[in-house]
């Protein structure tokens, strides 16, 4: 038993050293220290009775909070097009939470500079909210089941995405919807 534990500890130490030396665990900190604007978009499924035929609409005038993996918290808001901008991002990963009238949309994104003038982190939507729900519930059931850096790579079953879109169309919050929570718990319990 002791030999097996020692072997696993040695193996883990070697893997950690390789990741640290290769730069895979921590991004270039010099890029994080610049005050470059970070932008994104928050979209929500539109109601089925809309007249413009669009499937999504901007999540306008929503409060946005960015929770950094290094403990920093940044507040901003979306404009009428659902766009937001934030400055002074220092963490390599962020959990975005956009809230308006009790409805919440979430997304996890890495903060990596794509150019010297702006970092665009893409769209937060029903799909990204599903990814975050799985992250949150998996970590409730199993300690360190998922890390923030793994969330953007999660592939979500279509039935879950459709159910979350339906809840959003009804102007409800999927993060406290019993059916959605049950679906995510079943997924987590069978996949982790």
């Amino acid at each position: 038993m002791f030999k097996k534990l020692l072997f696993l500890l040695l193996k883990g130490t070697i893997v950690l050293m390789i990741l640290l030396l290769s730069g895979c665990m921590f991004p270039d900190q010099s890029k994080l220290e610049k005050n470059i604007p970070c932008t994104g978009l928050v979209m929500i499924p539109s109601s089925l009775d809309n007249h413009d035929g669009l499937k999504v609409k901007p999540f306008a005038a929503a409060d946005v909070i960015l929770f950094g993996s290094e403990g920093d918290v940044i507040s901003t808001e979306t404009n009428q097009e659902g766009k937001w901008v934030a400055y002074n991002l220092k963490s390599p990963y962020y959990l975005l939470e956009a809230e308006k009238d009790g409805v919440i949309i979430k997304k996890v994104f890495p903060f990596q500079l794509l150019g010297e003038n702006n970092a665009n982190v893409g769209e937060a939507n029903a799909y990204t909210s599903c990814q975050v729900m799985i992250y949150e519930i998996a970590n409730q059931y199993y300690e360190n089941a998922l890390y923030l850096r793994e969330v953007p790579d999660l592939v979500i079953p279509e039935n879950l995405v459709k159910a979350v879109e339906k809840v959003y169309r009804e102007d409800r919050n999927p993060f406290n919807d019993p059916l959605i929570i049950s679906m995510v718990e079943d997924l987590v319990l069978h996949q982790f």
Side-chain angles (χ1 to χ4, degrees):
M1 175 70 174
F2 178 73
K3 286 183 181 182
K4 187 175 184 179
L5 182 63
L6 183 62
F7 174 74
L8 290 174
L9 182 62
L10 181 61
K11 185 178 175 184
T13 302
I14 290 171
V15 169
L16 181 61
M17 288 178 60
I18 290 170
L19 288 173
L20 285 171
L21 292 174
S22 69
C24 289
M25 285 196 59
F26 302 104
D28 182 3
Q29 293 298 315
S30 66
K31 291 180 180 176
L32 299 178
E33 294 170 1
K34 295 179 182 176
N35 191 17
I36 295 185
C38 179
T39 60
L41 182 64
V42 183
M43 300 296 281
I44 189 165
S46 61
S47 63
L48 295 176
D49 62 352
N50 66 349
H51 300 289
D52 54 14
L54 297 175
K55 292 185 178 186
V56 294
K57 64 182 179 183
F59 200 48
D63 294 321
V64 175
I65 301 176
L66 305 175
F67 299 95
S69 57
E70 302 294 319
D72 55 316
V73 178
I74 299 169
S75 296
T76 187
E77 62 188 14
T78 61
N79 65 14
Q80 292 304 310
E81 290 87 37
K83 295 177 183 176
W84 59 269
V85 76
Y87 297 89
N88 299 319
L89 278 72
K90 295 176 175 57
S91 293
Y93 295 92
Y94 283 86
L95 170 69
L96 173 146
E97 184 175 298
E99 188 273 332
K100 178 180 168 185
D101 300 328
V103 177
I104 297 173
I105 298 176
K106 294 185 181 185
K107 176 183 179 154
V108 170
F109 64 89
F111 178 61
Q112 299 168 347
L113 295 176
L114 303 175
E116 288 300 316
N117 298 327
N118 189 3
N120 186 325
V121 298
E123 183 180 305
N125 52 37
Y127 192 90
T128 62
S129 290
C130 291
Q131 290 174 318
V132 174
M133 278 186 247
I134 291 172
Y135 163 79
E136 292 175 344
I137 290 177
N139 285 321
Q140 286 175 4
Y141 278 93
Y142 310 106
E143 185 176 341
N144 297 323
L146 287 170
Y147 296 97
L148 281 178
R149 68 178 177 264
E150 299 170 316
V151 174
D153 296 326
L154 292 175
V155 178
I156 308 304
E158 189 174 339
N159 66 326
L160 178 58
V161 175
K162 298 265 186 226
V164 168
E165 287 174 345
K166 181 179 184 295
V167 169
Y168 278 136
R169 281 189 190 98
E170 296 169 355
D171 292 323
R172 296 185 297 119
N173 183 6
F175 288 89
N176 62 16
D177 183 88
L179 176 63
I180 301 297
I181 292 169
S182 174
M183 290 176 72
V184 174
E185 286 174 336
D186 286 346
L187 182 66
V188 165
L189 292 173
H190 289 94
Q191 297 294 321
F192 289 86

